Amino acid sequence: MSKIGIFYGPELGSVEKVARVIEQKLGADKVELIAVKNADESTLNKFDKAIFGVSTIGKINWNSEHKDTDWDEFTTHFGKVNWNGKKIAMYGLGDHIQYPQHFVDALGWMYERLEGTGAEVVGFCATEGYTYEESEGIKDGQFLGLPIDEDNEADKTEVRAENWINRLVNEFGF
Ligand SMILES: Cc1cc2nc3c(=O)[nH]c(=O)nc-3n(C[C@H](O)[C@H](O)[C@H](O)COP(=O)(O)O)c2cc1C
């Protein structure tokens, strides 16, 4: 069975912390953790199944031209990735108290970059149990990946991750 690549960025903060929670729940022998900062298309091409971990760092940043996050750089390689047959799931860090109108917008930003590549995006998540006003991370009434709020609801992370992974295992087909 091929491993699942958990691609995360940035390093050292909550995105990395949740990457390790997911690694532990999936089983360390089944996954490979990869900081996107150190990755390019050849790293991603090794995996049929991957999980992308992102954080939302502000509406203004996502809409602007500047390209200084690890994911901004990594997504410039997307045109060279062999997406056929790949399944991608996403989790997104956000803060629903400080940014209720842009909660986990980065899930939508990433989805836009995956749409039309040929990859199958899996791991959508029901909005029940989350408090927010608006989110670009929602499509057809579902979050496009797993939202996690370590700033305000760190106590919910374990259960949220576990429930999501239980469903994801089926969608990934292993
Ligand atoms: C400058 C800044 C802007 C942010 N903007 C948003 C936002 O628009 N929406 C949101 O849900 N969270 C927002 N957040 C919260 C972060 O996504 C959250 O703190 C996340 O856990 C950071 O992950 P990291 O520690 O791995 O960087 C913002 C945080 C900062 C510092």
Side-chain angles (χ1 to χ4, degrees):
M1 187 189 69
S2 62
K3 287 192 173 187
I4 297 170
I6 303 181
F7 289 75
Y8 67 92
E11 292 177 282
L12 304 176
S14 296
V15 172
E16 179 166 345
K17 180 183 167 192
V18 174
R20 294 187 190 285
V21 170
I22 294 170
E23 175 193 37
Q24 186 247 323
K25 292 198 181 297
L26 278 169
D29 54 325
K30 297 192 179 66
V31 308
E32 197 174 323
L33 277 189
I34 297 141
V36 285
K37 199 167 129 197
N38 307 323
D40 62 15
E41 66 277 8
S42 65
T43 328
L44 187 50
N45 279 336
K46 288 197 299 184
F47 298 95
D48 292 336
K49 304 173 184 89
I51 296 174
F52 288 177
V54 300
S55 59
T56 303
I57 52 152
K59 175 75 177 161
I60 293 160
N61 289 337
W62 294 113
N63 275 355
S64 75
E65 286 303 306
H66 89 178
K67 304 251 177 286
D68 65 357
T69 73
D70 297 350
W71 278 107
D72 282 327
E73 211 286 315
F74 187 62
T75 53
T76 64
H77 298 275
F78 273 17
K80 292 173 274 177
V81 173
N82 178 14
W83 293 103
N84 285 338
K86 272 202 205 318
K87 289 187 180 182
I88 308 290
M90 304 183 283
Y91 68 90
L93 272 292
D95 176 339
H96 81 283
I97 302 286
Q98 293 290 330
Y99 305 95
Q101 298 185 338
H102 296 288
F103 183 52
V104 294
D105 277 0
L107 290 175
W109 179 88
M110 184 61 76
Y111 185 78
E112 269 178 32
R113 274 140 194 85
L114 290 168
E115 256 186 321
T117 58
E120 184 186 351
V121 182
V122 299
F124 294 173
C125 199
T127 56
E128 278 80 34
Y130 290 94
T131 308
Y132 61 94
E133 290 169 26
E134 311 249 346
S135 174
E136 289 181 14
I138 293 177
K139 187 173 186 279
D140 299 332
Q142 286 191 298
F143 284 111
L144 293 158
L146 172 70
I148 295 285
D149 184 343
E150 274 287 304
D151 298 335
N152 310 290
E153 298 179 326
D155 54 324
K156 296 187 178 170
T157 298
E158 288 275 335
V159 171
R160 283 173 170 169
E162 193 150 323
N163 290 340
W164 183 66
I165 286 164
N166 287 341
R167 294 194 307 274
L168 192 61
V169 164
N170 289 329
E171 290 186 76
F172 267 161
F174 77 83

